C-alpha cells in the first residue's frame, strides 16, 4: 500500500464520528472519488484514491481529516461558488438576472445509472436556496480503464439572463501533504516539454489565451503525483486533461491546510457568458485516471480508454504515407506530384499526402502570404484538378490525401475581399497577423457552412479522397466578431462560440463522412485534445522531426495519447542514419516526408523493407500496451516496448542518444 492510500485507510474503520448525510462513491475497478453532503447540505469531495472493499467505509472518511476549523468545508467543496461564504478560488461565479453577484449551492439529489457494462454515470444536483440557479455535476466512469470524465451543467431558471463569470468543469480536492505537478509547456518546434515542480501554498495556473492552437505554449494535460515526484512504476499519480480545444485554465491551489484543490475549465479570461432564462450551459469535460503504480499504468489506462472509447476509429487501421511538405514546400506542379505518387508506390507507403500550396488563383498560394481561403485548385499547378491526382494515385495503386486549413484566411485572398465580416479582427484597429493570416469567425453560422463546404466539397467532387490533414496555423489576435455584435450578443462569447462552432462543423462532417481518416495539425502540435480526437483519427505532434528530439517529445505525448494517434514522419532532419529515423517514427503512425529520389539505393531498399516490417508489427504498436522502460531524461538511452493485448507479441525500441541540455527536466 503506498503512502497516499495509507494516509486515509487505517482511520476509516476506527472512526465513530458521523455527521454526514449522503455519501456518493464514484468508483471504477480500482479507484474512487467520493462526495458527501454535510449537515448543512453542502457537498464535499472527501476522498480520491484506492477503492475501498466496502463502500460503506467511505462515509466516515471526512472525520479522519486533520482540519481544526470550519474553513476545511470551503476547501473541500465539490463545486465552490463565489460571492457568499467562500473566499478561496471559486469553481463558479455568476451575476444573477437582478445584478446580484452571490451564489450558494446546496446538495439536492443524485442518481447513478449504468449506461453499459463498463460504465456508470452519476449525476448530482445542486441548487441555490435563494436564486433559481441549478448546477448538475456529472461523473462518468469507465470501470476497466479506471477513467473518470467529469463535467458540469449550469441551468438558469430565473426570469432573466444570468451572466456566468466563471464556469469550471471540475473542482477536485485531495487531502494529502505533498503534491508534485508535471505540466507541459513549449512553443513551435518545442511542444510538450515537461516541468515537474513541488506545489507550494498558493495557486499554480496553467492556461491558454491563444483562442486557437491552444496547446502551442502549454497544454491542458497534467500529472499530479502524491507524496513524491512522479515515478513510472510506483506511487500514486493522477493523469488528466481538460478536453477543450480553446482557452483553458487549470488552477492547482495548495490551501492553508496544504491540501490540493484543482479547478479546471474554460478560461474565464474575456469570456463572461450570458445564459438566457431557461437555458443550460454544459462545460467541457475533465478526463482523468488514477494509478497506484505510477505513470506507466496510468498512461496505459488512458491510452486504452482513448483507443476504445474516444478517438475516431481508435480500434481501426491507419494509412502509412508519403507527404510532400518538406520535399517541395509550395513549389510543385502536376508533373512533379505525379512523380511523387509514383515514389509513394516505390517506397511501399499506402498513400500520397498533398500538402499546402495547391489552391488559389487570383492570389496563388505560392507562399504562406496569399491564397488561404480560396479553395479552388490553382490552374497553373494543377490544370486537371485534384480529381486527376486522385485518379493517378488509384492507377498507381496508392491512395490520395490532401491538406486544408479551412478556419483561416490570408488578407491577400478573394475570400477576405468578399467576406471581410467573416474575419476575426478589431474593426477600428490595424490587423495583426500570425503567419500572415487571420482566423475566420466560427461563431458565425455562415462561416460554419463555409468550412463545412470546403471539406464536403472535396469529398463530393472526389469520393475516393482517402485522407485530410486539417491544419490551423494562427492564434486569435484582436478578438472581435462582427456576427456577435450584429446579433446583439456579447463579444465575451467569442472564444467559447468559436470552439463550439468548430465542433458543430466537425459533427456535420462526421455525420456525412463518418469514416475518412483525418489528421489534426496545428502549425506543429498546437492541437490534439480528447475532444477533437472524437472527430480525428490522429494528430501531428510537432514540425520538429529531429529524431533525438522526437524521442523525448513522443515520450511526453505518450503519457496521454496512444501511439495510433501520433503521426511520426521520417524526414531529413537530424544526422542520424535512416534506420534510426525510421525506428523513431515507427513508434507512432509511420509516414515519410522526404525526397525519395535523394535516397541512396541502400537507403531506399531499407525503407521499403522497413515499411514491410512495420506492417508486420504495427498492430502491436497501435493497439498494444505501451511500457516506457528507460527514460531518456534519466539515461543516455531510451527504451520503450509495445505488447499485444494477448501478450503474444511485443516490439521493443531502444535508442542511444547523446545528452543535451535542452531536455533537462526541471525539478
Ligand atoms: C504547418 C504544418 O505543421 C506543416 O506540417 C505543414 O503542413 C505546413 N503547416 C503547411 O503550411
Amino acid at each position: 500500500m503506498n503512502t497516499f492510500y495509507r494516509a486515509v485507510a487505517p482511520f476509516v474503520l476506527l472512526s465513530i464520528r458521523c455527521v454526514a448525510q449522503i455519501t456518493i462513491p464514484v468508483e471504477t475497478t480500482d479507484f474512487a472519488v467520493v462526495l458527501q453532503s454535510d449537515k448543512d447540505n453542502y457537498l464535499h469531495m472527501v476522498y480520491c484514491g484506492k477503492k475501498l472493499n466496502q463502500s460503506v467505509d467511505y462515509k466516515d472518511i471526512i472525520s479522519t481529516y486533520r482540519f481544526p476549523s470550519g474553513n476545511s468545508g470551503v476547501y473541500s467543496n465539490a463545486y465552490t461558488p463565489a460571492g457568499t461564504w467562500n473566499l478561496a478560488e471559486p469553481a463558479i461565479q455568476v451575476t444573477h438576472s437582478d445584478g446580484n453577484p452571490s451564489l450558494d449551492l446546496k446538495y439536492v439529489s443524485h442518481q447513478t445509472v449504468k449506461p453499459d457494462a463498463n460504465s456508470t454515470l452519476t449525476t448530482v444536483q445542486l441548487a441555490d436556496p435563494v436564486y433559481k440557479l441549478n448546477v448538475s455535476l456529472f461523473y462518468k466512469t469507465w470501470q476497466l480503464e479506471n477513467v473518470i470524465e467529469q463535467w458540469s451543467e449550469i441551468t438558469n431558471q430565473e426570469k432573466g439572463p444570468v451572466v456566468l463569470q466563471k464556469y469550471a468543469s471540475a473542482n477536485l480536492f485531495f487531502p494529502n501533504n505533498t503534491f508534485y505537478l508535471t505540466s507541459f509547456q513549449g512553443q513551435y518546434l518545442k511542444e510538450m516539454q515537461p516541468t515537474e515542480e513541488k506545489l507550494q501554498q498558493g495557486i499554480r495556473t496553467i492556461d491558454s489565451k491563444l483562442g486557437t492552437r491552444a496547446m502551442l505554449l502549454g497544454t491542458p494535460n497534467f500529472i499530479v503525483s502524491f507524496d513524491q515526484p512522479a515515478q513510472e512504476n510506483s506511487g500514486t499519480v493522477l493523469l488528466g486533461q481538460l478536453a477543450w480545444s480553446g482557452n483553458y485554465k487549470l488552477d492547482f491551489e495548495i490551501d492553508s491546510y496544504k491540501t490540493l484543490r484543482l479547478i479546471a475549465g474554460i478560461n474565464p479570461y474575456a469570456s463572461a457568458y450570458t445564459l438566457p432564462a431557461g437555458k443550460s450551459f454544459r462545460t467541457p469535460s475533465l478526463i482523468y485516471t488514477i494509478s497506484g503504480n505510477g505513470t506507466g499504468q496510468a498512461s496505459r489506462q488512458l491510452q486504452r480508454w482513448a483507443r476504445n472509447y474516444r478517438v475516431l476509429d481508435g480500434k481501426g487501421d491507419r494509412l502509412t504515407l508519403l507527404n510532400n511538405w518538406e520535399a517541395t514546400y509550395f513549389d510543385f506542379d502536376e508533373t512533379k506530384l505525379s512523380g511523387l505518387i509514383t515514389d509513394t508506390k516505390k517506397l511501399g507507403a499506402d498513400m500520397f499526402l498533398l500538402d499546402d500550396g495547391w489552391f488559389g488563383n487570383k492570389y496563388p498560394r505560392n507562399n504562406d502570404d496569399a491564397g488561404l481561403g480560396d479553395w479552388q485548385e490553382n490552374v497553373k499547378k494543377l490544370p486537371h484538378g485534384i480529381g486527376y491526382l486522385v485518379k493517378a494515385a488509384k492507377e498507381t495503386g496508392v491512395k490520395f490525401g490532401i491538406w486544408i486549413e479551412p478556419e483561416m484566411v490570408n488578407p491577400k485572398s478573394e475570400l477576405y475581399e468578399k467576406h471581410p465580416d467573416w474575419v476575426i479582427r478589431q474593426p477600428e484597429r490595424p490587423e495583426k497577423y500570425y503567419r500572415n493570416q487571420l482566423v475566420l469567425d466560427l461563431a458565425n453560422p455562415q462561416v460554419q457552412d463555409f468550412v463545412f463546404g470546403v471539406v464536403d466539397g472535396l469529398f463530393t467532387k472526389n469520393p475516393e479522397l482517402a485522407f485530410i490533414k486539417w491544419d490551423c496555423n494562427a492564434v486569435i489576435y484582436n478578438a472581435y466578431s462582427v456576427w456577435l455584435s450584429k446579433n446583439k450578443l456579447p463579444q465575451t462569447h467569442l472564444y467559447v462560440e468559436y470552439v463550439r462552432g468548430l465542433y458543430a462543423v466537425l459533427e456535420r462532417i462526421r455525420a456525412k463522412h463518418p469514416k475518412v481518416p483525418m489528421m489534426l495539425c496545428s502549425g506543429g502540435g498546437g492541437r490534439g485534445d480528447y475532444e477533437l480526437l472524437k472527430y480525428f483519427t490522429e494528430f501531428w505532434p510537432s514540425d520538429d522531426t529531429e529524431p533525438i528530439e522526437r524521442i523525448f517529445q513522443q515520450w511526453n505525448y505518450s503519457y496521454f495519447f496512444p501511439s495510433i494517434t501520433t503521426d511520426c514522419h521520417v524526414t531529413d532532419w537530424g544526422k542520424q542514419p535512416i534506420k534510426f529515423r525510421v525506428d523513431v517514427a515507427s513508434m507512432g503512425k509511420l509516414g515519410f516526408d522526404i525526397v525519395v529520389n535523394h535516397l541512396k539505393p541502400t537507403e531506399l531498399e531499407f525503407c521499403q523493407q522497413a515499411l514491410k516490417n512495420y506492417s508486420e508489427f504495427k498492430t502491436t504498436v497501435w493497439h498494444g500496451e505501451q511500457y516506457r522502460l528507460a527514460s531518456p531524461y534519466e539515461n543516455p538511452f531510451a527504451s520503450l516496448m509495445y505488447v499485444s493485448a494477448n501478450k503474444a507479441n511485443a516490439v521493443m525500441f531502444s535508442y542511444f542518444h547523446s545528452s543535451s541540455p535542452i531536455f533537462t527536466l526541471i525539478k
Side-chain angles (χ1 to χ4, degrees):
M1 188 185 264
N2 65 46
T3 48
F4 179 64
Y5 301 151
R6 228 178 12 238
V8 174
F11 293 94
V12 172
L13 299 174
L14 302 177
S15 173
I16 43 162
R17 252 180 73 206
C18 181
V19 290
Q21 295 184 316
I22 306 282
T23 302
I24 311 168
V26 177
E27 294 175 314
T28 66
T29 302
D30 296 327
F31 84 93
V33 163
V34 181
L35 307 167
Q36 194 169 60
S37 65
D38 65 15
K39 62 181 181 354
D40 298 316
N41 260 345
Y42 288 113
L43 188 71
H44 303 268
M45 177 166 158
V46 294
Y47 181 74
C48 176
K50 191 175 182 180
K51 182 174 161 179
L52 301 184
N53 289 340
Q54 314 257 3
S55 53
V56 71
D57 291 341
Y58 295 123
K59 93 176 156 47
D60 293 332
I61 280 178
I62 199 161
S63 60
T64 67
Y65 290 175
R66 55 200 177 282
F67 305 133
S69 82
N71 255 359
S72 58
V74 175
Y75 294 141
S76 63
N77 199 272
Y79 199 68
T80 320
T84 46
W85 43 267
N86 162 50
L87 302 178
E89 185 63 30
I92 178 168
Q93 184 182 5
V94 307
T95 307
H96 295 283
S97 44
D98 63 1
N100 185 291
S102 68
L103 182 68
D104 200 7
L105 288 173
K106 296 209 176 192
Y107 168 85
V108 176
S109 64
H110 76 280
Q111 58 163 0
T112 299
V113 293
K114 220 169 164 358
D116 57 58
N118 193 35
S119 55
T120 62
L121 178 64
T122 299
T123 313
V124 186
Q125 269 83 37
L126 308 174
D128 188 317
V130 175
Y131 283 88
K132 289 195 157 184
L133 193 109
N134 307 331
V135 175
S136 299
L137 306 179
F138 294 87
Y139 302 81
K140 178 161 186 186
T141 68
W142 281 270
Q143 297 294 302
L144 295 174
E145 293 75 19
N146 288 309
V147 168
I148 293 187
E149 175 176 8
Q150 188 178 335
W151 70 95
S152 310
E153 201 168 285
I154 303 156
T155 302
N156 173 13
Q157 291 176 328
E158 298 181 20
K159 291 209 169 72
V162 167
V163 181
L164 308 180
Q165 314 285 357
K166 187 174 184 190
Y167 34 93
S169 300
N171 182 170
L172 302 180
F173 173 76
F174 307 97
N176 268 54
N177 282 320
T178 315
F179 303 89
Y180 290 81
L181 170 69
T182 305
S183 56
F184 298 84
Q185 285 82 31
Q187 53 169 291
Y188 179 59
L189 300 179
K190 296 221 177 302
E191 295 89 342
M192 209 62 188
Q193 310 277 322
T195 304
E196 185 170 47
E197 63 200 297
K198 184 175 174 192
L199 291 170
Q200 307 292 342
Q201 187 166 340
I203 300 183
R204 170 79 167 101
T205 296
I206 313 289
D207 77 342
S208 169
K209 302 185 188 76
L210 303 182
T212 49
R213 281 189 90 161
M215 281 173 58
L216 179 65
L217 306 180
T219 81
N221 303 297
F222 61 91
I223 301 172
V224 173
S225 181
F226 300 91
D227 300 327
Q228 58 176 357
Q231 309 290 318
E232 186 66 8
N233 295 310
S234 63
T236 301
V237 290
L238 182 148
L239 268 62
Q241 180 196 90
L242 186 81
W244 179 246
S245 318
N247 293 348
Y248 61 84
K249 187 164 190 256
L250 309 172
D251 279 327
F252 297 86
E253 178 175 12
I254 299 294
D255 62 34
S256 55
Y257 296 102
K258 313 295 182 215
T259 55
L260 171 64
R261 306 174 69 232
L262 164 55
I263 297 179
I266 291 177
N267 197 335
Y269 163 74
S271 292
Y273 198 93
T274 302
L275 187 63
K279 295 281 181 207
S280 295
F281 184 100
R282 180 182 168 155
T283 70
S285 298
L286 180 74
I287 291 159
Y288 52 97
T289 189
I290 291 205
S291 143
N293 298 308
T295 46
Q297 185 191 63
S299 293
R300 285 186 288 280
Q301 291 174 174
L302 273 182
Q303 292 177 4
R304 216 181 308 140
W305 167 82
R307 282 194 308 265
N308 291 343
Y309 301 105
R310 197 61 163 205
V311 176
L312 186 82
D313 203 18
K315 295 195 254 190
D317 211 354
R318 295 292 185 271
L319 298 165
T320 58
L321 59 84
L322 176 68
N323 186 197
N324 72 311
W325 176 239
E326 295 187 11
T328 66
Y329 293 106
F330 298 95
D331 179 20
F332 56 78
D333 59 14
E334 204 170 76
T335 313
K336 208 184 228 181
L337 293 181
S338 299
L340 295 182
I341 288 172
T342 310
D343 286 347
T344 309
K345 181 71 183 168
K346 185 155 73 171
L347 195 62
D350 299 322
M351 180 182 68
F352 173 68
L353 170 61
L354 172 58
D355 215 283
D356 196 354
W358 57 268
F359 48 89
N361 284 301
K362 181 172 175 191
Y363 301 102
R365 179 77 169 169
N366 293 328
N367 212 321
D368 64 13
D369 63 358
L372 205 57
D374 300 345
W375 299 104
Q376 305 83 32
E377 294 96 328
N378 177 278
V379 291
K380 272 203 189 146
K381 288 181 182 173
L382 306 180
H384 301 100
I386 297 293
Y388 173 89
L389 295 170
V390 177
K391 193 159 162 260
K394 191 176 182 187
E395 283 164 10
T396 311
V398 294
K399 293 183 186 298
F400 186 87
I402 200 161
W403 177 99
I404 52 172
E405 192 178 5
E407 299 160 73
M408 309 277 157
V409 65
N410 282 130
K412 268 203 247 167
S413 69
E414 293 184 76
L415 181 72
Y416 179 94
E417 288 171 351
K418 254 169 79 186
H419 295 291
D421 282 6
W422 285 8
V423 179
I424 294 179
R425 57 189 185 133
Q426 288 285 350
E428 307 300 332
R429 295 186 188 278
E431 290 177 350
K432 181 157 172 63
Y433 308 123
Y434 195 108
R435 206 197 188 204
N436 305 310
Q437 65 195 59
L438 293 162
V439 181
L440 294 175
D441 178 10
L442 270 170
N444 181 343
Q446 280 182 300
V447 175
Q448 294 173 21
D449 289 346
F450 169 80
V451 175
F452 171 76
V454 172
V455 181
D456 188 44
L458 279 167
F459 285 135
T460 309
K461 271 169 67 188
N462 309 287
E464 294 188 77
L465 193 64
F467 186 87
I468 281 197
K469 174 179 179 183
W470 181 309
D471 210 343
C472 161
N473 283 285
V475 300
I476 296 180
Y477 289 123
N478 285 323
Y480 184 88
S481 157
V482 173
W483 186 83
L484 285 174
S485 116
K486 275 192 183 150
N487 287 278
K488 304 206 170 359
L489 289 163
Q491 286 298 324
T492 50
H493 287 199
L494 179 56
Y495 289 124
V496 171
E497 294 305 349
Y498 183 92
V499 179
R500 286 179 166 175
L502 176 63
Y503 295 156
V505 170
L506 291 164
E507 281 290 332
R508 284 170 69 186
I509 291 171
R510 284 313 183 189
K512 197 159 171 198
H513 311 283
K515 287 244 153 86
V516 190
M518 294 207 296
M519 175 207 285
L520 187 56
C521 175
S522 185
R527 273 180 172 173
D529 59 85
Y530 295 144
E531 200 59 28
L532 279 175
L533 284 172
K534 281 179 178 171
Y535 309 100
F536 289 82
T537 46
E538 52 216 81
F539 72 96
W540 182 235
S542 177
D543 277 1
D544 177 6
T545 49
E546 199 283 327
I548 302 269
E549 295 179 7
R550 265 294 177 131
I551 291 172
F552 289 83
Q553 248 180 5
Q554 290 170 206
W555 178 277
N556 295 325
Y557 276 110
S558 79
Y559 284 111
F560 306 94
F561 300 100
S563 65
I564 191 169
T565 60
T566 315
D567 284 323
C568 302
H569 294 178
V570 177
T571 68
D572 284 335
W573 289 48
K575 297 191 179 71
Q576 293 72 22
I578 191 79
K579 172 165 170 28
F580 195 100
R581 289 182 273 150
V582 170
D583 282 356
V584 174
S586 296
M587 289 193 297
K589 201 216 79 173
L590 176 63
F592 289 77
D593 194 348
I594 47 169
V595 182
V596 175
N597 279 342
H598 291 179
L599 291 172
K600 294 181 196 133
T602 48
E603 289 176 332
L604 175 62
E605 214 178 297
F606 175 83
C607 292
Q608 290 166 330
Q609 188 56 46
L611 271 160
K612 284 187 192 136
N613 296 346
Y614 185 68
S615 65
E616 299 291 314
F617 66 75
K618 66 187 182 190
T619 317
T620 305
V621 172
W622 292 348
H623 303 292
E625 301 276 290
Q626 186 207 45
Y627 292 82
R628 290 182 295 259
L629 301 177
S631 167
Y633 289 100
E634 290 161 11
N635 305 287
F637 51 88
S639 185
L640 297 99
M641 184 164 68
Y642 300 82
V643 182
S644 64
N646 64 4
K647 301 214 172 357
N649 301 302
V651 195
M652 191 171 141
F653 297 87
S654 293
Y655 311 90
F656 182 75
H657 70 86
S658 47
S659 58
S660 159
I662 312 169
F663 295 113
T664 307
L665 183 59
I666 304 159
K667 295 224 177 194

